[in-house]
Amino acid sequence: MTSARIVIDRSAVVAPINRRIFGSFVEHLGRCVYDGIYEPGHPTANEDGFRLDVVELVKELGSSTIRYPGGNFVSGYRWEDSVGPREQRPVRRDLAWHALESNQVGLDEFARWCKLTNSELMMAVNLGTRGIEAALDVLEYANHPSGTALSDLRIANGTEEPHNIRMWCLGNEMDGPWQTGYMTPEDYGKIAARTAQAMKAADKDLELVACGSSSSSMPTFGDWERIVLETAYEHVDYISCHAYYQERKGDLDSYLASSLNMEYFIQTVVATADHVKHKLHSDKTINLSFDEWNIWYLDEHQASDEVNEEWRFAPRQLEDVYSVADAVVLGNLMITLLKNHDRVASASLAQLVNVIAPIMTEPGGEAWRQTTFFPFSVTSRLARGEVLRPRIDVGTYQTAVYGSAPLVDAVATADSESGASAVFLVNRSQTESIEVSIDVTELNATSIGEAVSLHDDDVYAKNTLQDQNRVGLKSLDGATLEDGVLTVTLPPVSWSALALA
Ligand code: AHR
């Protein structure tokens, strides 16, 4: 059997864990909001129309910050349409997804939903069709306590306390030709700087995210970040990264190594941000908000007619059904985010319900977990304290896209207060089980509290409407902890987690 050796050095601390690394994303897109989190006629719906069975799954998933209301949707968003008496809210066309928006769920309702799910609301402003004034208005409506026109309007609409939203995205993917109102980096840098300056004049402690490239494959990637930051550096706090992965042309070997691309992406944006920092002689460091990441079978959706000429409310769009292999890749992407947590301060799994999502629903019916739900929820639950970068000694395999890739990837976390620690691992081999011995002496662990794994003889097995529990976590049999050495056997194409006490 192939083997690997890992050493966990308690002093190799990447960063203390900020729960924002476990964020997600709710966009007014397809059935994410309508027939997803919101379905007034559903047997579990509360007085706002939110499905409480979905709320329970969101809590189990353990997502922290929720980015809202888009995505591409935000570039046509008129926040005023979404507040006040529901029967007076207008129906609008959403040009991003060619759908109708009823505005029955708006800012105040969504803020209440965030409270129900124990999440922090992270808001995006529209810099596509709108600008500084609308950004300031929504900020006043959301955050000002009282005594101004818009804060009093919020109160009159039934929300006494301000929402106190700390993190704001300055538009969305403004480099993309598909974006309503897309711009050059020079133009976007200026509007981002000016909007940020004005928003911080209202509240200097806001945390503002400038749009980075919409993917590392954009022709302007790198230059975009540099030019935007050269203009907006002193006004913003984060630069965004977005990345989606999918298996292409049956090349599972390359797909399983997708996190190498995410690692490259992060390192490149960090290098660019730091280059601008030095060029501007700034004391400030810009960190990354990886506020869209996931598996997305984008090629297939683009070839389909799900976004068509019809104007429909909440059509079924982007409803990917995920396999075991997808979940293993997603677990590995989480490992990569944690390993780079010193610079990736915040991240959002895009998205949360029905639309490229870990949670699926049927109208009037059940809600269930996709395969990708499991690595996210277990990592969010077990990762506590500080992230530790392990030393991994393992063989490699050849991939068509990334060249040579390590067979195993891993990250550890340790919490000094509780003494709890955890190790998260993936085996990317399609054929080999790998025996991994992990030197955990420095974690002072004496027992294994939990050992779970996601794998299956059929790497393409999925949970579907008809078979909602086909794939789930399995216990990782045979794990031992003796004399400071944790020994586990990782099945082929697997993601695993071990909690130590
Ligand atoms: O998450 C789906 C879409 O992906 C978002 O609306 C957009 O920002 C990105 O292109």
Side-chain angles (χ1 to χ4, degrees), residues 67-79 107 122-140 142 165 167-174 179-180 183 188 191-192 195-196 199 206 208-211:
R67 184 167 176 255
Y68 178 83
N72 296 339
F73 172 80
V74 81
S75 294
Y77 185 54
R78 304 185 206 198
W79 70 270
L107 174 53
M122 169 186 184
M123 190 82 191
V125 298
N126 174 356
L127 293 188
T129 59
R130 308 188 83 181
I132 302 173
E133 188 173 67
L136 290 177
D137 284 352
V138 68
L139 176 63
E140 180 187 328
I165 302 169
M167 216 170 161
W168 295 76
C169 301
L170 301 166
N172 177 69
E173 295 190 349
M174 297 306 297
Q179 198 72 216
T180 308
M183 293 171 195
Y188 175 69
I191 183 90
T195 308
M199 290 176 78
L206 295 178
L208 303 180
V209 186
C211 294

Side-chain angles (χ1 to χ4, degrees), residues 96-258:
W97 300 104
H98 209 87
L100 293 176
E101 171 56 50
S102 68
N103 282 301
Q104 291 305 293
V105 174
L107 174 53
D108 293 322
E109 290 87 20
F110 191 70
R112 282 202 287 280
W113 182 86
C114 285
K115 285 216 171 76
L116 274 183
T117 56
N118 305 325
S119 347
E120 176 191 0
L121 171 50
M122 169 186 184
M123 190 82 191
V125 298
N126 174 356
L127 293 188
T129 59
R130 308 188 83 181
I132 302 173
E133 188 173 67
L136 290 177
D137 284 352
V138 68
L139 176 63
E140 180 187 328
Y141 182 91
N143 283 7
H144 196 79
S146 65
T148 66
L150 293 173
S151 58
D152 286 347
L153 178 63
R154 182 197 69 241
I155 294 168
N157 286 338
T159 307
E160 191 73 34
E161 292 300 317
H163 297 308
N164 194 21
I165 302 169
R166 305 321 307 162
M167 216 170 161
W168 295 76
C169 301
L170 301 166
N172 177 69
E173 295 190 349
M174 297 306 297
D175 62 331
W178 58 86
Q179 198 72 216
T180 308
Y182 73 99
M183 293 171 195
T184 62
E186 290 81 5
D187 288 346
Y188 175 69
K190 283 182 204 153
I191 183 90
R194 290 172 186 155
T195 308
Q197 183 279 334
M199 290 176 78
K200 286 201 175 174
D203 179 348
K204 64 175 178 24
D205 297 326
L206 295 178
E207 297 173 60
L208 303 180
V209 186
C211 294
S213 299
S214 43
S215 86
S216 62
S217 57
M218 292 300 284
T220 50
F221 174 55
D223 266 351
W224 173 276
E225 281 76 2
R226 178 182 60 74
I227 296 166
V228 167
L229 287 178
E230 279 172 1
T231 315
Y233 199 91
E234 292 305 334
H235 301 286
V236 302
D237 304 281
Y238 307 97
I239 182 98
S240 73
C241 297
H242 291 181
Y244 294 96
Y245 298 94
Q246 70 173 103
E247 182 181 343
R248 288 198 162 89
K249 298 183 192 146
D251 181 4
L252 183 56
D253 273 340
S254 298
Y255 179 49
L256 288 165
S258 294

